[in-house]
Amino acid sequence: MHDALGLSDDIRSQADRLAASGYLALAPDLYAGDGLRCVLATLQASRSGGGRAYQHLEAARRSLSERPDCNGRVGIIGFCMGGGFAVHCAPQYEFQAASVNYGEVPKDAVERLRGACPIVASFGRRDLTLRGRAERLEHALTTLGIPHDIKEYPDAGHSFLNHIGGGPVIGTLLRVTHFDYHEPSADDAWSRIVAFFDEHLRNPRARTPTDDGEDRT
């Protein structure tokens, strides 16, 4: 699930990374609608937990689960705005794992996350926009007894998994505001995400061989 900047080359590269780990990967474009109105509605939906965007996400989930080369177990991964969608989708739909990367966590997380699938989440301690969210999510999932792996990276800020780009001026601004890529944290987060997905999404008994002889989740 893409961030507030939309379906960028960076998000496509994140999908490619999952595919390289042996997963089917789909990156839906939630901004494919009515211009600015669609963007604003999607941003609001990522925080509220309701709206048309969730219909698209559920359609994407069903599309993957019904493919003959899928074992029927589907995960969701989101960055920034997409992380907020991952939080809300975890209890609403039949996902088997969710990866939340610096996504908003509602204040009433204990109530909102009842029945959620297992969640792996990564935050940056230098992210001033999401202070306390890692602790809030950890508390909710622990209270509810939901399997989870939550980590806050001390040297990372917001968007530390994303290569936003934009030239030297934008790059400097991103670094100053702690919205930049942080390689050590990103590498560790990806290792945790793939390990978590492997644990909760792979089912050797249900895998279907592809034409090239490889098993895909």
Side-chain angles (χ1 to χ4, degrees), residues 84-106:
F85 277 114
V87 168
H88 289 292
C89 283
Q92 287 194 57
Y93 304 107
E94 294 183 17
F95 288 103
Q96 281 70 50
S99 174
V100 176
N101 299 294
Y102 30 87
E104 182 59 83
V105 179

Side-chain angles (χ1 to χ4, degrees), residues 1-8 10-18 26-27 30-31 43 46 76-87 99-104 122-123 130 158-164 181 186 189-190 193 197:
M1 290 311 310
H2 61 73
D3 53 23
L5 299 179
L7 185 57
S8 62
D10 172 74
I11 297 301
R12 292 184 176 90
S13 72
Q14 308 289 4
D16 288 342
R17 186 162 188 164
L18 281 171
L26 172 64
L30 294 184
Y31 288 170
L43 288 167
S46 73
I76 182 170
I77 180 170
F79 305 87
C80 183
M81 180 186 77
F85 277 114
V87 168
S99 174
V100 176
N101 299 294
Y102 30 87
E104 182 59 83
S122 301
F123 295 87
L130 292 174
H158 197 78
S159 299
F160 70 86
L161 280 157
N162 302 112
H163 290 280
I164 297 177
Y181 179 76
W190 264 113
I193 291 166
F197 277 10

Side-chain angles (χ1 to χ4, degrees), residues 11-202:
I11 297 301
R12 292 184 176 90
S13 72
Q14 308 289 4
D16 288 342
R17 186 162 188 164
L18 281 171
S21 296
Y23 286 90
L24 294 168
L26 172 64
D29 183 1
L30 294 184
Y31 288 170
D34 302 323
L36 181 59
R37 178 187 298 179
C38 175
V39 172
L40 294 176
T42 302
L43 288 167
Q44 176 61 27
S46 73
R47 291 175 173 266
S48 69
R52 188 173 64 177
Y54 290 92
Q55 298 174 18
H56 298 316
L57 290 174
E58 172 58 3
R61 187 199 65 79
R62 288 199 310 269
S63 176
L64 283 173
S65 68
E66 293 170 358
R67 286 176 57 115
D69 52 353
C70 177
N71 68 4
R73 303 181 65 80
V74 181
I76 182 170
I77 180 170
F79 305 87
C80 183
M81 180 186 77
F85 277 114
V87 168
H88 289 292
C89 283
Q92 287 194 57
Y93 304 107
E94 294 183 17
F95 288 103
Q96 281 70 50
S99 174
V100 176
N101 299 294
Y102 30 87
E104 182 59 83
V105 179
K107 292 181 179 179
D108 56 346
V110 174
E111 294 302 318
R112 293 287 192 105
L113 288 170
R114 291 188 185 279
C117 63
I119 293 176
V120 55
S122 301
F123 295 87
R125 192 169 299 166
R126 302 178 74 187
D127 182 358
L128 301 181
T129 68
L130 292 174
R131 280 182 171 174
R133 300 322 192 267
E135 292 86 351
R136 184 185 295 173
L137 185 57
E138 175 83 46
H139 169 73
L141 297 177
T142 299
T143 299
L144 296 169
I146 295 169
H148 61 275
D149 173 6
I150 313 297
K151 188 169 182 177
E152 186 176 60
Y153 292 92
D155 298 320
H158 197 78
S159 299
F160 70 86
L161 280 157
N162 302 112
H163 290 280
I164 297 177
V169 174
I170 297 298
T172 300
L173 179 61
L174 293 172
R175 286 191 295 275
V176 169
T177 56
H178 307 307
F179 270 66
D180 58 326
Y181 179 76
H182 189 259
E183 184 173 4
S185 302
D187 287 346
D188 185 77
W190 264 113
S191 295
R192 291 172 43 246
I193 291 166
V194 172
F196 198 85
F197 277 10
D198 284 351
E199 178 183 358
H200 295 285
L201 298 182
R202 290 194 186 277

